[in-house]
Amino acid sequence: MAKLIYTAITSLDGYIEDRNGNFDWAMPDEEVHGYVNNLERGNGTFLLGRRMYQTMVVWDEIYVQSGHPEVMRDYAAIWHEGDKVVYSGTLDHATTERTRIERVFDPENVRRMKADSDTDLSVGGAQLAGAALRAGLVDDIHLFISPVLVGGGKPALPEIAATRLELLGQRGFGNGVVHLHYAVKNS
């Protein structure tokens, strides 16, 4: 069975964006970006909320443009080649290939996707990841903790019932970012 993996770049105080919705402090350098690319390369399907999808569509533009650094072109290819499922009650149509819109997040449908998939799935966006965590669907969490305190904003992890995690790996990067990889121990 495929895994559902949540990956987020977060501030040290646990936010993916600050109070004003900014996340420019989270832009990875080449070393971190390459590491994220290698993690995402194994995912065949991206599950996204509307806001995350609208943030990520820029990768389709980068995919067809020249002049971008290799690490960005690499991620753009990963994004372009993956299937995308966007959960939105307001989005009328997708602007990217290999994308379908689902009006509601259905945990049973995601369980079927995991059971039927030959590749892992990625869940993007804190709200959608929270719903997947509450439904017991997330298998692994990758947090890239940036050396910055933003003082509030959108939390990377939702308020949920106590959940046990197992540390599977950790790595520090030259820019001060720390990667933590956890398995979610669903009971």
Side-chain angles (χ1 to χ4, degrees):
M1 178 181 290
K3 290 182 178 182
L4 181 60
I5 301 167
Y6 175 48
T7 302
I9 298 175
T10 178
S11 63
L12 181 61
D13 51 350
Y15 298 98
I16 59 168
E17 60 185 45
D18 66 21
R19 288 184 178 103
N20 298 317
N22 297 319
F23 53 89
D24 54 350
W25 47 266
M27 297 304 163
D29 68 6
E30 189 170 309
E31 180 187 22
V32 173
H33 207 309
Y35 192 85
V36 170
N37 289 2
N38 289 332
L39 289 176
E40 294 289 307
R41 196 176 317 285
N43 299 326
T45 303
F46 299 93
L47 309 181
L48 306 151
R50 179 194 52 81
R51 285 187 64 212
M52 179 59 82
Y53 172 70
Q54 290 175 323
T55 299
M56 297 295 289
V57 296
V58 69
W59 292 105
D60 256 23
E61 296 168 19
I62 292 170
Y63 179 74
V64 298
Q65 297 171 344
S66 60
H68 293 283
E70 176 62 32
V71 70
M72 291 177 70
R73 288 194 317 272
D74 183 35
Y75 186 82
I78 294 165
W79 165 260
H80 181 78
E81 293 165 9
D83 294 324
K84 292 157 262 317
V85 180
V86 181
Y87 296 91
S88 174
T90 59
L91 197 60
D92 292 328
H93 67 282
T95 58
T96 54
E97 294 178 23
R98 302 177 65 145
T99 305
R100 77 174 191 265
I101 298 172
E102 297 284 339
R103 293 295 172 209
V104 295
F105 177 74
D106 178 1
E108 290 309 313
N109 188 33
V110 175
R111 279 187 185 83
R112 282 191 296 278
M113 281 193 280
K114 286 175 62 175
D116 294 343
S117 182
D118 293 332
T119 58
D120 290 335
L121 295 84
S122 171
V123 58
Q127 187 174 3
L128 184 61
L133 276 163
R134 282 188 286 279
L137 294 167
V138 176
D139 300 290
D140 285 10
I141 298 173
H142 290 273
L143 294 179
F144 289 84
I145 301 172
S146 300
V148 62
L149 300 170
V150 299
K154 182 183 277 189
L157 295 167
E159 288 188 28
I160 62 171
T163 304
R164 304 282 305 163
L165 305 174
E166 176 186 351
L167 181 65
L168 299 179
Q170 57 191 328
R171 177 176 173 181
F173 295 91
N175 65 358
V177 169
V178 174
H179 168 245
L180 299 173
H181 176 197
Y182 291 100
V184 178
K185 306 307 280 183
N186 292 317
S187 26

